[in-house]
């Protein structure tokens, strides 16, 4: 298979996965979005976390909530990625462990009614 064919196959596979998600995940995605909306309307915030590539996605999605996604005329909404505090991450992991890194941050920053996306 040529490089072009490989790229085409990978793009098609990605498109197929997204198309399949419509039937399998659309309701869950809508419920998750409504949970986030309800939290923000009630004075809550969204916290995001993840490792590796998911950490990058957490930062990106948090930024979209604050920045307005497609509507930059909207007011910023409260959203924070727990993956961006390098001092907290390195100190906690070095002194305690990695297992409780995000839960420790949620304990310090979160409150009832907030949403955590992991």
């Amino acid at each position: 298979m040529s490089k072009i064919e490989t790229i085409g196959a990978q793009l098609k596979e990605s498109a197929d996965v997204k198309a399949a998600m419509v039937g399998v995940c659309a309701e869950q995605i809508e419920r998750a979005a409504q949970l986030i909306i309800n939290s923000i309307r009630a004075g809550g915030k969204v916290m995001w976390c993840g490792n590796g590539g998911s950490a990058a996605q957490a930062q990106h999605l948090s930024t979209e909530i604050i920045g307005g996604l497609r509507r930059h005329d909207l007011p910023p909404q409260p959203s924070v990625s727990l993956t961006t505090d390098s001092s907290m991450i390195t100190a906690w992991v070095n002194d305690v462990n990695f297992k409780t890194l995000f839960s420790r941050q949620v304990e310090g920053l979160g409150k009832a009614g907030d949403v955590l996306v992991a």
Side-chain angles (χ1 to χ4, degrees):
M1 183 178 282
S2 74
K3 290 179 184 177
I4 297 296
E5 290 170 329
T6 299
I7 291 168
Q10 290 172 343
L11 290 171
K12 183 182 180 319
E13 181 181 357
S14 177
D16 291 345
V17 167
K18 290 174 184 144
M21 286 176 64
V22 172
V24 177
C25 302
E27 289 182 20
Q28 292 90 337
I29 292 169
E30 191 279 331
R31 284 198 306 265
Q34 195 59 56
L35 184 69
I36 289 170
I37 291 166
N38 292 345
S39 174
I40 291 171
R41 284 183 177 161
K45 70 181 148 306
V46 186
M47 294 176 286
W48 306 80
C49 65
N51 300 316
S54 297
Q57 289 294 330
Q59 293 171 31
H60 180 178
L61 293 169
S62 179
T63 298
E64 295 290 8
I65 297 290
I66 294 171
L69 192 59
R70 295 182 183 161
R71 298 242 348 249
H72 304 296
D73 60 320
L74 297 173
Q77 301 302 315
S79 181
V80 62
S81 175
L82 303 178
T83 64
T84 60
D85 187 344
S86 60
S87 296
M88 172 63 192
I89 292 168
T90 57
W92 190 260
V93 170
N94 183 61
D95 296 347
V96 183
N97 62 46
F98 183 80
K99 183 177 178 183
T100 59
L101 170 65
F102 297 131
S103 63
R104 182 66 172 193
Q105 291 175 289
V106 170
E107 288 174 10
L109 299 171
K111 65 179 196 265
D114 287 346
V115 174
L116 175 67
V117 180

